[in-house]
Amino acid sequence: MATLIAPITFSPGADAEALHKAFKGWGTDEKTVISILGHRNVYQRQQIRKVYEEIYQEELIKRLESELTGDFERSVYRWMLEPADRDAVLANVAIKSGSKGYHVIVEIACVLSSEELLAARRAYHNRYKRSLEEDVATHTSGDLRQLLVGLVTSYRYGGDEINARLAKTESDILHSSIKEKKGNHEEAIRILTTRSKTQLLATFNRYRDDHGTSITKKLLDDASDDFRKALHTAIRCTNDHKKYYEKVLRNAMKRVGTDEDVLTRVVVSRAEKDMRNIAEHYYKRNSVHLEDAVAKEISGDYKKFILTLLGKDV
């Protein structure tokens, strides 16, 4: 379930006019920006962008970039992008970050549906004039390259069929691959980059039944290099991406100085999808409401905007 609270009816013309007025004069009326954009769904935001450009002959996103600053600007900018375009931007930022960003590539490839991933790849083409897989391959090597390129180019079957015999065979292959730290990981990569999510879940469940521990626990114990960390993230995102995001948020706020970029990425990406479910996982795990934890960690207009997306007006 989403946390975004958007009106059923709205006027893109009135919103465009109010935003233009908020930009005029000395300083920006950030309160108006938050109250409008923080309460509009993706379709409504794109309508506002279209109408704003028709009336004022300038791109709303560019105007927002020039009017806002810091984490507030970055979060509003990413929120205003179409989802596929946002994923393309997040992927590009992740690639430029090197090993610190590989988990974001895995996250995008494993959490999105096949159609959403295809749309993100198209958006990447249009924005950067290169393919996503080309940039991933350029910045990686060895098993990690094979895994990441395989994940971003995957077009998984989306049905519910399960082959129990295959789940048994492939859980054994994954067990052998993880056990042999310097072994041949080709088969593990093949399984994780081609099987449907339903089939993979059956394989992971079989692994736990046969070996008495989850595959992610085993990998976490041995996650010493970028490949194994990426493998761990791929399995976690496929297994239960809501629990995965809960941990991402927890880690972002646990450190000394909150990682605002991570917080922005998760909230902006999931507010219209399943942020409420992620928040429920957060409360179960930490006995603190997510919005209360966030409120303690950030400040200013950025805080007001993020809390608005979490369904809590300030």
Short mmCIF file of all heavy atoms in Angstrom, two decimals, residues 62-125:
data_model
loop_
_atom_site.label_atom_id
_atom_site.label_comp_id
_atom_site.label_asym_id
_atom_site.label_seq_id
_atom_site.Cartn_x
_atom_site.Cartn_y
_atom_site.Cartn_z
N LYS A 62 13.12 22.06 -14.44
CA LYS A 62 14.28 22.96 -14.45
C LYS A 62 14.05 24.15 -13.53
O LYS A 62 14.97 24.62 -12.86
CB LYS A 62 14.58 23.42 -15.88
CG LYS A 62 15.22 22.31 -16.71
CD LYS A 62 15.76 22.82 -18.02
CE LYS A 62 16.49 21.68 -18.74
NZ LYS A 62 16.85 22.04 -20.12
N ARG A 63 12.84 24.64 -13.51
CA ARG A 63 12.52 25.76 -12.61
C ARG A 63 12.65 25.34 -11.15
O ARG A 63 13.19 26.07 -10.32
CB ARG A 63 11.10 26.28 -12.91
CG ARG A 63 10.75 27.56 -12.15
CD ARG A 63 11.67 28.71 -12.56
NE ARG A 63 11.54 29.85 -11.69
CZ ARG A 63 10.80 30.93 -11.97
NH1 ARG A 63 10.11 31.00 -13.11
NH2 ARG A 63 10.75 31.94 -11.13
N LEU A 64 12.18 24.14 -10.84
CA LEU A 64 12.31 23.62 -9.47
C LEU A 64 13.77 23.48 -9.08
O LEU A 64 14.16 23.81 -7.95
CB LEU A 64 11.59 22.27 -9.35
CG LEU A 64 10.06 22.32 -9.32
CD1 LEU A 64 9.47 20.94 -9.60
CD2 LEU A 64 9.55 22.85 -7.98
N GLU A 65 14.58 23.00 -10.02
CA GLU A 65 16.03 22.86 -9.76
C GLU A 65 16.66 24.19 -9.41
O GLU A 65 17.54 24.27 -8.55
CB GLU A 65 16.74 22.28 -10.99
CG GLU A 65 16.63 20.77 -11.12
CD GLU A 65 17.46 20.26 -12.28
OE1 GLU A 65 17.05 20.42 -13.45
OE2 GLU A 65 18.55 19.70 -12.01
N SER A 66 16.23 25.25 -10.08
CA SER A 66 16.84 26.58 -9.85
C SER A 66 16.29 27.25 -8.59
O SER A 66 16.95 28.08 -7.98
CB SER A 66 16.62 27.49 -11.05
OG SER A 66 15.25 27.81 -11.19
N GLU A 67 15.08 26.85 -8.18
CA GLU A 67 14.44 27.50 -7.03
C GLU A 67 14.77 26.83 -5.69
O GLU A 67 14.78 27.48 -4.65
CB GLU A 67 12.91 27.49 -7.20
CG GLU A 67 12.40 28.33 -8.36
CD GLU A 67 12.46 29.83 -8.08
OE1 GLU A 67 12.51 30.22 -6.89
OE2 GLU A 67 12.47 30.61 -9.04
N LEU A 68 15.02 25.52 -5.73
CA LEU A 68 15.23 24.76 -4.49
C LEU A 68 16.70 24.38 -4.35
O LEU A 68 17.46 24.45 -5.31
CB LEU A 68 14.35 23.50 -4.50
CG LEU A 68 12.88 23.69 -4.87
CD1 LEU A 68 12.14 22.37 -4.89
CD2 LEU A 68 12.19 24.67 -3.92
N THR A 69 17.08 23.94 -3.16
CA THR A 69 18.49 23.60 -2.91
C THR A 69 18.62 22.31 -2.09
O THR A 69 17.68 21.87 -1.43
CB THR A 69 19.22 24.73 -2.15
OG1 THR A 69 18.54 24.95 -0.91
CG2 THR A 69 19.27 26.02 -2.96
N GLY A 70 19.82 21.75 -2.13
CA GLY A 70 20.20 20.64 -1.25
C GLY A 70 19.35 19.39 -1.40
O GLY A 70 18.88 19.06 -2.49
N ASP A 71 19.14 18.70 -0.28
CA ASP A 71 18.39 17.44 -0.29
C ASP A 71 16.93 17.66 -0.68
O ASP A 71 16.31 16.78 -1.29
CB ASP A 71 18.46 16.77 1.09
CG ASP A 71 19.86 16.27 1.41
OD1 ASP A 71 20.44 15.57 0.56
OD2 ASP A 71 20.38 16.59 2.49
N PHE A 72 16.40 18.83 -0.34
CA PHE A 72 15.03 19.15 -0.72
C PHE A 72 14.90 19.20 -2.24
O PHE A 72 14.00 18.60 -2.83
CB PHE A 72 14.62 20.49 -0.09
CG PHE A 72 13.23 20.94 -0.40
CD1 PHE A 72 12.17 20.04 -0.40
CD2 PHE A 72 12.96 22.27 -0.70
CE1 PHE A 72 10.86 20.45 -0.69
CE2 PHE A 72 11.68 22.69 -0.99
CZ PHE A 72 10.63 21.79 -0.99
N GLU A 73 15.82 19.89 -2.89
CA GLU A 73 15.81 19.98 -4.36
C GLU A 73 15.94 18.59 -4.99
O GLU A 73 15.21 18.24 -5.92
CB GLU A 73 16.94 20.90 -4.84
CG GLU A 73 17.03 21.06 -6.36
CD GLU A 73 17.86 19.99 -7.03
OE1 GLU A 73 18.94 19.66 -6.49
OE2 GLU A 73 17.44 19.46 -8.08
N ARG A 74 16.89 17.80 -4.48
CA ARG A 74 17.14 16.47 -5.06
C ARG A 74 15.91 15.57 -4.92
O ARG A 74 15.56 14.84 -5.84
CB ARG A 74 18.35 15.83 -4.37
CG ARG A 74 18.89 14.60 -5.11
CD ARG A 74 20.11 14.02 -4.44
NE ARG A 74 21.23 14.95 -4.46
CZ ARG A 74 21.76 15.53 -3.37
NH1 ARG A 74 21.30 15.25 -2.18
NH2 ARG A 74 22.75 16.36 -3.47
N SER A 75 15.26 15.64 -3.77
CA SER A 75 14.08 14.78 -3.55
C SER A 75 12.90 15.21 -4.42
O SER A 75 12.21 14.37 -4.99
CB SER A 75 13.69 14.76 -2.06
OG SER A 75 13.40 16.07 -1.60
N VAL A 76 12.68 16.51 -4.56
CA VAL A 76 11.58 17.00 -5.40
C VAL A 76 11.87 16.69 -6.87
O VAL A 76 10.98 16.26 -7.62
CB VAL A 76 11.36 18.52 -5.21
CG1 VAL A 76 10.37 19.07 -6.23
CG2 VAL A 76 10.87 18.82 -3.79
N TYR A 77 13.12 16.88 -7.28
CA TYR A 77 13.51 16.58 -8.67
C TYR A 77 13.22 15.11 -9.01
O TYR A 77 12.59 14.81 -10.02
CB TYR A 77 15.01 16.89 -8.85
CG TYR A 77 15.56 16.43 -10.19
CD1 TYR A 77 15.35 17.17 -11.34
CD2 TYR A 77 16.31 15.25 -10.28
CE1 TYR A 77 15.85 16.75 -12.57
CE2 TYR A 77 16.81 14.82 -11.50
CZ TYR A 77 16.58 15.57 -12.65
OH TYR A 77 17.07 15.15 -13.86
N ARG A 78 13.64 14.21 -8.14
CA ARG A 78 13.44 12.78 -8.40
C ARG A 78 11.96 12.40 -8.34
O ARG A 78 11.49 11.55 -9.10
CB ARG A 78 14.27 11.93 -7.44
CG ARG A 78 15.76 12.07 -7.74
CD ARG A 78 16.65 11.28 -6.83
NE ARG A 78 18.05 11.46 -7.23
CZ ARG A 78 19.08 10.96 -6.59
NH1 ARG A 78 18.88 10.22 -5.50
NH2 ARG A 78 20.32 11.17 -7.00
N TRP A 79 11.22 13.06 -7.46
CA TRP A 79 9.79 12.80 -7.35
C TRP A 79 9.05 13.22 -8.62
O TRP A 79 8.10 12.57 -9.04
CB TRP A 79 9.25 13.57 -6.14
CG TRP A 79 7.78 13.46 -5.89
CD1 TRP A 79 6.86 14.47 -5.93
CD2 TRP A 79 7.05 12.29 -5.51
NE1 TRP A 79 5.62 14.01 -5.60
CE2 TRP A 79 5.70 12.66 -5.34
CE3 TRP A 79 7.40 10.95 -5.29
CZ2 TRP A 79 4.70 11.76 -4.97
CZ3 TRP A 79 6.41 10.04 -4.93
CH2 TRP A 79 5.09 10.46 -4.77
N MET A 80 9.52 14.28 -9.25
CA MET A 80 8.83 14.82 -10.43
C MET A 80 9.11 14.02 -11.70
O MET A 80 8.40 14.17 -12.69
CB MET A 80 9.23 16.28 -10.64
CG MET A 80 8.63 17.24 -9.62
SD MET A 80 6.83 17.18 -9.58
CE MET A 80 6.42 17.86 -11.19
N LEU A 81 10.13 13.21 -11.70
CA LEU A 81 10.45 12.40 -12.88
C LEU A 81 9.43 11.27 -13.04
O LEU A 81 8.89 10.78 -12.05
CB LEU A 81 11.85 11.79 -12.76
CG LEU A 81 13.04 12.75 -12.77
CD1 LEU A 81 14.32 11.98 -12.45
CD2 LEU A 81 13.17 13.48 -14.09
N GLU A 82 9.20 10.85 -14.28
CA GLU A 82 8.41 9.64 -14.48
C GLU A 82 9.20 8.47 -13.87
O GLU A 82 10.43 8.48 -13.90
CB GLU A 82 8.18 9.41 -15.97
CG GLU A 82 7.24 10.44 -16.59
CD GLU A 82 6.90 10.10 -18.03
OE1 GLU A 82 6.54 8.94 -18.28
OE2 GLU A 82 6.98 11.00 -18.87
N PRO A 83 8.52 7.44 -13.34
CA PRO A 83 9.23 6.36 -12.65
C PRO A 83 10.38 5.74 -13.44
O PRO A 83 11.46 5.52 -12.90
CB PRO A 83 8.13 5.34 -12.37
CG PRO A 83 6.90 6.17 -12.24
CD PRO A 83 7.06 7.29 -13.23
N ALA A 84 10.18 5.47 -14.72
CA ALA A 84 11.25 4.85 -15.53
C ALA A 84 12.44 5.78 -15.66
O ALA A 84 13.60 5.35 -15.59
CB ALA A 84 10.72 4.48 -16.92
N ASP A 85 12.17 7.07 -15.82
CA ASP A 85 13.24 8.06 -15.94
C ASP A 85 13.99 8.19 -14.61
O ASP A 85 15.22 8.31 -14.57
CB ASP A 85 12.64 9.41 -16.35
CG ASP A 85 13.66 10.31 -17.05
OD1 ASP A 85 14.68 9.79 -17.53
OD2 ASP A 85 13.42 11.52 -17.10
N ARG A 86 13.23 8.13 -13.51
CA ARG A 86 13.85 8.18 -12.19
C ARG A 86 14.77 6.99 -11.98
O ARG A 86 15.91 7.13 -11.49
CB ARG A 86 12.77 8.19 -11.10
CG ARG A 86 13.34 8.27 -9.68
CD ARG A 86 12.29 7.90 -8.66
NE ARG A 86 11.11 8.72 -8.83
CZ ARG A 86 9.86 8.26 -8.79
NH1 ARG A 86 9.62 6.97 -8.59
NH2 ARG A 86 8.84 9.07 -8.96
N ASP A 87 14.31 5.80 -12.36
CA ASP A 87 15.14 4.60 -12.23
C ASP A 87 16.42 4.72 -13.05
O ASP A 87 17.49 4.29 -12.63
CB ASP A 87 14.35 3.35 -12.64
CG ASP A 87 13.26 3.00 -11.64
OD1 ASP A 87 13.47 3.22 -10.44
OD2 ASP A 87 12.20 2.51 -12.07
N ALA A 88 16.30 5.33 -14.24
CA ALA A 88 17.47 5.54 -15.10
C ALA A 88 18.48 6.46 -14.41
O ALA A 88 19.69 6.19 -14.41
CB ALA A 88 17.04 6.13 -16.45
N VAL A 89 17.97 7.53 -13.80
CA VAL A 89 18.85 8.47 -13.09
C VAL A 89 19.51 7.78 -11.89
O VAL A 89 20.73 7.91 -11.67
CB VAL A 89 18.06 9.72 -12.62
CG1 VAL A 89 18.87 10.56 -11.65
CG2 VAL A 89 17.62 10.55 -13.82
N LEU A 90 18.73 7.05 -11.12
CA LEU A 90 19.27 6.33 -9.95
C LEU A 90 20.33 5.32 -10.36
O LEU A 90 21.37 5.19 -9.70
CB LEU A 90 18.15 5.62 -9.19
CG LEU A 90 17.14 6.51 -8.46
CD1 LEU A 90 15.98 5.69 -7.92
CD2 LEU A 90 17.81 7.29 -7.33
N ALA A 91 20.09 4.63 -11.48
CA ALA A 91 21.07 3.65 -11.98
C ALA A 91 22.35 4.33 -12.40
O ALA A 91 23.45 3.86 -12.09
CB ALA A 91 20.48 2.87 -13.16
N ASN A 92 22.25 5.47 -13.07
CA ASN A 92 23.43 6.19 -13.52
C ASN A 92 24.26 6.71 -12.34
O ASN A 92 25.49 6.60 -12.33
CB ASN A 92 23.02 7.35 -14.43
CG ASN A 92 24.22 8.04 -15.06
OD1 ASN A 92 24.59 9.14 -14.65
ND2 ASN A 92 24.82 7.41 -16.05
N VAL A 93 23.58 7.24 -11.35
CA VAL A 93 24.27 7.72 -10.13
C VAL A 93 24.97 6.54 -9.45
O VAL A 93 26.12 6.66 -9.00
CB VAL A 93 23.26 8.38 -9.16
CG1 VAL A 93 23.91 8.64 -7.80
CG2 VAL A 93 22.73 9.68 -9.75
N ALA A 94 24.30 5.41 -9.41
CA ALA A 94 24.87 4.20 -8.77
C ALA A 94 26.11 3.72 -9.51
O ALA A 94 27.12 3.36 -8.89
CB ALA A 94 23.82 3.10 -8.74
N ILE A 95 26.05 3.71 -10.84
CA ILE A 95 27.20 3.26 -11.65
C ILE A 95 28.41 4.16 -11.39
O ILE A 95 29.53 3.68 -11.22
CB ILE A 95 26.83 3.24 -13.15
CG1 ILE A 95 25.85 2.09 -13.44
CG2 ILE A 95 28.08 3.08 -14.02
CD1 ILE A 95 25.17 2.20 -14.79
N LYS A 96 28.16 5.46 -11.33
CA LYS A 96 29.25 6.42 -11.08
C LYS A 96 29.83 6.28 -9.68
O LYS A 96 30.95 6.70 -9.42
CB LYS A 96 28.75 7.85 -11.29
CG LYS A 96 28.52 8.21 -12.76
CD LYS A 96 27.95 9.60 -12.87
CE LYS A 96 27.72 9.98 -14.32
NZ LYS A 96 27.00 11.27 -14.43
N SER A 97 29.05 5.70 -8.76
CA SER A 97 29.52 5.55 -7.37
C SER A 97 30.44 4.35 -7.18
O SER A 97 30.95 4.12 -6.09
CB SER A 97 28.32 5.40 -6.43
OG SER A 97 27.45 6.49 -6.56
N GLY A 98 30.59 3.52 -8.24
CA GLY A 98 31.47 2.34 -8.13
C GLY A 98 30.87 1.31 -7.19
O GLY A 98 29.66 1.12 -7.14
N SER A 99 31.72 0.65 -6.42
CA SER A 99 31.27 -0.47 -5.58
C SER A 99 30.22 -0.06 -4.56
O SER A 99 29.42 -0.88 -4.12
CB SER A 99 32.46 -1.13 -4.88
OG SER A 99 33.09 -0.20 -4.03
N LYS A 100 30.18 1.22 -4.18
CA LYS A 100 29.18 1.69 -3.21
C LYS A 100 27.77 1.68 -3.80
O LYS A 100 26.79 1.69 -3.08
CB LYS A 100 29.51 3.11 -2.75
CG LYS A 100 30.69 3.21 -1.80
CD LYS A 100 30.80 4.60 -1.20
CE LYS A 100 31.09 5.63 -2.27
NZ LYS A 100 31.26 6.99 -1.73
N GLY A 101 27.68 1.66 -5.14
CA GLY A 101 26.37 1.76 -5.78
C GLY A 101 25.85 0.49 -6.42
O GLY A 101 24.73 0.48 -6.93
N TYR A 102 26.63 -0.59 -6.37
CA TYR A 102 26.21 -1.81 -7.06
C TYR A 102 24.89 -2.35 -6.54
O TYR A 102 24.08 -2.90 -7.30
CB TYR A 102 27.29 -2.91 -6.96
CG TYR A 102 28.58 -2.58 -7.67
CD1 TYR A 102 29.81 -3.06 -7.21
CD2 TYR A 102 28.59 -1.77 -8.80
CE1 TYR A 102 31.00 -2.75 -7.85
CE2 TYR A 102 29.78 -1.45 -9.46
CZ TYR A 102 30.98 -1.94 -8.97
OH TYR A 102 32.15 -1.62 -9.61
N HIS A 103 24.65 -2.19 -5.23
CA HIS A 103 23.41 -2.71 -4.66
C HIS A 103 22.18 -2.01 -5.24
O HIS A 103 21.10 -2.60 -5.34
CB HIS A 103 23.43 -2.59 -3.13
CG HIS A 103 23.45 -1.19 -2.62
ND1 HIS A 103 24.59 -0.42 -2.65
CD2 HIS A 103 22.47 -0.41 -2.11
CE1 HIS A 103 24.32 0.78 -2.17
NE2 HIS A 103 23.05 0.82 -1.84
N VAL A 104 22.34 -0.74 -5.66
CA VAL A 104 21.21 -0.01 -6.24
C VAL A 104 20.87 -0.57 -7.62
O VAL A 104 19.69 -0.70 -7.98
CB VAL A 104 21.51 1.51 -6.33
CG1 VAL A 104 20.33 2.26 -6.96
CG2 VAL A 104 21.81 2.07 -4.95
N ILE A 105 21.89 -0.94 -8.39
CA ILE A 105 21.67 -1.58 -9.70
C ILE A 105 20.89 -2.88 -9.49
O ILE A 105 19.91 -3.16 -10.20
CB ILE A 105 23.01 -1.90 -10.40
CG1 ILE A 105 23.88 -0.65 -10.54
CG2 ILE A 105 22.78 -2.57 -11.76
CD1 ILE A 105 23.37 0.36 -11.49
N VAL A 106 21.33 -3.67 -8.51
CA VAL A 106 20.67 -4.95 -8.22
C VAL A 106 19.23 -4.71 -7.78
O VAL A 106 18.30 -5.40 -8.23
CB VAL A 106 21.44 -5.72 -7.12
CG1 VAL A 106 20.71 -7.00 -6.74
CG2 VAL A 106 22.85 -6.04 -7.57
N GLU A 107 19.05 -3.73 -6.93
CA GLU A 107 17.72 -3.37 -6.40
C GLU A 107 16.76 -3.04 -7.55
O GLU A 107 15.64 -3.57 -7.62
CB GLU A 107 17.94 -2.15 -5.51
CG GLU A 107 16.78 -1.66 -4.72
CD GLU A 107 17.19 -0.42 -3.92
OE1 GLU A 107 18.07 -0.51 -3.04
OE2 GLU A 107 16.62 0.65 -4.20
N ILE A 108 17.20 -2.18 -8.45
CA ILE A 108 16.36 -1.78 -9.59
C ILE A 108 16.01 -3.00 -10.44
O ILE A 108 14.86 -3.22 -10.81
CB ILE A 108 17.07 -0.69 -10.43
CG1 ILE A 108 17.12 0.63 -9.66
CG2 ILE A 108 16.39 -0.50 -11.79
CD1 ILE A 108 18.05 1.67 -10.24
N ALA A 109 17.01 -3.82 -10.73
CA ALA A 109 16.81 -4.98 -11.61
C ALA A 109 15.92 -6.04 -10.98
O ALA A 109 15.18 -6.73 -11.69
CB ALA A 109 18.17 -5.58 -11.98
N CYS A 110 15.99 -6.20 -9.67
CA CYS A 110 15.27 -7.31 -9.02
C CYS A 110 13.90 -6.92 -8.46
O CYS A 110 13.04 -7.78 -8.33
CB CYS A 110 16.12 -7.90 -7.89
SG CYS A 110 17.61 -8.71 -8.48
N VAL A 111 13.70 -5.66 -8.13
CA VAL A 111 12.42 -5.25 -7.55
C VAL A 111 11.40 -4.90 -8.64
O VAL A 111 10.22 -5.21 -8.52
CB VAL A 111 12.61 -4.06 -6.58
CG1 VAL A 111 11.26 -3.54 -6.09
CG2 VAL A 111 13.48 -4.46 -5.39
N LEU A 112 11.87 -4.29 -9.73
CA LEU A 112 10.95 -3.90 -10.81
C LEU A 112 10.40 -5.13 -11.52
O LEU A 112 11.05 -6.18 -11.58
CB LEU A 112 11.68 -3.02 -11.83
CG LEU A 112 12.24 -1.68 -11.37
CD1 LEU A 112 12.82 -0.92 -12.56
CD2 LEU A 112 11.18 -0.83 -10.68
N SER A 113 9.22 -4.98 -12.09
CA SER A 113 8.68 -6.04 -12.95
C SER A 113 9.46 -6.03 -14.26
O SER A 113 10.21 -5.07 -14.55
CB SER A 113 7.20 -5.77 -13.25
OG SER A 113 7.07 -4.63 -14.09
N SER A 114 9.28 -7.05 -15.07
CA SER A 114 9.99 -7.11 -16.35
C SER A 114 9.67 -5.91 -17.23
O SER A 114 10.57 -5.33 -17.86
CB SER A 114 9.62 -8.40 -17.09
OG SER A 114 10.05 -9.52 -16.35
N GLU A 115 8.41 -5.51 -17.26
CA GLU A 115 8.01 -4.35 -18.08
C GLU A 115 8.59 -3.05 -17.52
O GLU A 115 9.02 -2.17 -18.28
CB GLU A 115 6.48 -4.25 -18.15
CG GLU A 115 5.83 -5.27 -19.07
CD GLU A 115 6.26 -5.13 -20.53
OE1 GLU A 115 6.53 -4.00 -20.97
OE2 GLU A 115 6.35 -6.16 -21.22
N GLU A 116 8.60 -2.91 -16.20
CA GLU A 116 9.17 -1.70 -15.58
C GLU A 116 10.68 -1.60 -15.85
O GLU A 116 11.20 -0.52 -16.11
CB GLU A 116 8.91 -1.71 -14.08
CG GLU A 116 7.46 -1.45 -13.70
CD GLU A 116 7.17 -1.72 -12.24
OE1 GLU A 116 7.89 -2.51 -11.60
OE2 GLU A 116 6.18 -1.15 -11.73
N LEU A 117 11.37 -2.75 -15.77
CA LEU A 117 12.81 -2.76 -16.04
C LEU A 117 13.08 -2.39 -17.49
O LEU A 117 14.02 -1.63 -17.79
CB LEU A 117 13.40 -4.13 -15.70
CG LEU A 117 14.91 -4.31 -15.92
CD1 LEU A 117 15.71 -3.25 -15.17
CD2 LEU A 117 15.35 -5.71 -15.51
N LEU A 118 12.28 -2.91 -18.39
CA LEU A 118 12.43 -2.59 -19.81
C LEU A 118 12.22 -1.08 -20.04
O LEU A 118 12.97 -0.44 -20.79
CB LEU A 118 11.41 -3.39 -20.63
CG LEU A 118 11.61 -3.43 -22.15
CD1 LEU A 118 12.97 -3.99 -22.53
CD2 LEU A 118 10.49 -4.24 -22.80
N ALA A 119 11.22 -0.52 -19.37
CA ALA A 119 10.96 0.93 -19.48
C ALA A 119 12.13 1.74 -18.93
O ALA A 119 12.51 2.78 -19.52
CB ALA A 119 9.67 1.28 -18.73
N ALA A 120 12.73 1.28 -17.83
CA ALA A 120 13.89 1.98 -17.25
C ALA A 120 15.08 1.93 -18.21
O ALA A 120 15.81 2.92 -18.35
CB ALA A 120 14.26 1.35 -15.91
N ARG A 121 15.27 0.80 -18.88
CA ARG A 121 16.37 0.68 -19.85
C ARG A 121 16.15 1.61 -21.04
O ARG A 121 17.09 2.22 -21.54
CB ARG A 121 16.50 -0.77 -20.31
CG ARG A 121 17.05 -1.70 -19.23
CD ARG A 121 16.94 -3.15 -19.63
NE ARG A 121 17.78 -3.45 -20.79
CZ ARG A 121 17.63 -4.52 -21.55
NH1 ARG A 121 16.67 -5.39 -21.29
NH2 ARG A 121 18.44 -4.73 -22.56
N ARG A 122 14.90 1.70 -21.49
CA ARG A 122 14.58 2.63 -22.58
C ARG A 122 14.86 4.09 -22.16
O ARG A 122 15.41 4.88 -22.92
CB ARG A 122 13.10 2.51 -22.98
CG ARG A 122 12.80 1.30 -23.83
CD ARG A 122 11.49 1.50 -24.60
NE ARG A 122 11.09 0.25 -25.22
CZ ARG A 122 10.16 -0.57 -24.74
NH1 ARG A 122 9.54 -0.28 -23.62
NH2 ARG A 122 9.87 -1.68 -25.38
N ALA A 123 14.44 4.41 -20.94
CA ALA A 123 14.65 5.77 -20.42
C ALA A 123 16.15 6.07 -20.32
O ALA A 123 16.59 7.20 -20.58
CB ALA A 123 13.99 5.92 -19.05
N TYR A 124 16.94 5.06 -19.94
CA TYR A 124 18.39 5.21 -19.85
C TYR A 124 18.97 5.53 -21.22
O TYR A 124 19.81 6.42 -21.37
CB TYR A 124 19.02 3.94 -19.27
CG TYR A 124 20.41 4.14 -18.71
CD1 TYR A 124 20.60 4.34 -17.35
CD2 TYR A 124 21.54 4.14 -19.53
CE1 TYR A 124 21.86 4.53 -16.80
CE2 TYR A 124 22.81 4.32 -19.00
CZ TYR A 124 22.96 4.52 -17.64
OH TYR A 124 24.23 4.72 -17.12
N HIS A 125 18.53 4.80 -22.24
CA HIS A 125 18.94 5.07 -23.64
C HIS A 125 18.71 6.53 -23.99
O HIS A 125 19.59 7.23 -24.50
CB HIS A 125 18.08 4.25 -24.62
CG HIS A 125 18.51 2.84 -24.79
ND1 HIS A 125 17.94 2.01 -25.74
CD2 HIS A 125 19.43 2.09 -24.16
CE1 HIS A 125 18.50 0.81 -25.67
NE2 HIS A 125 19.39 0.84 -24.71
#
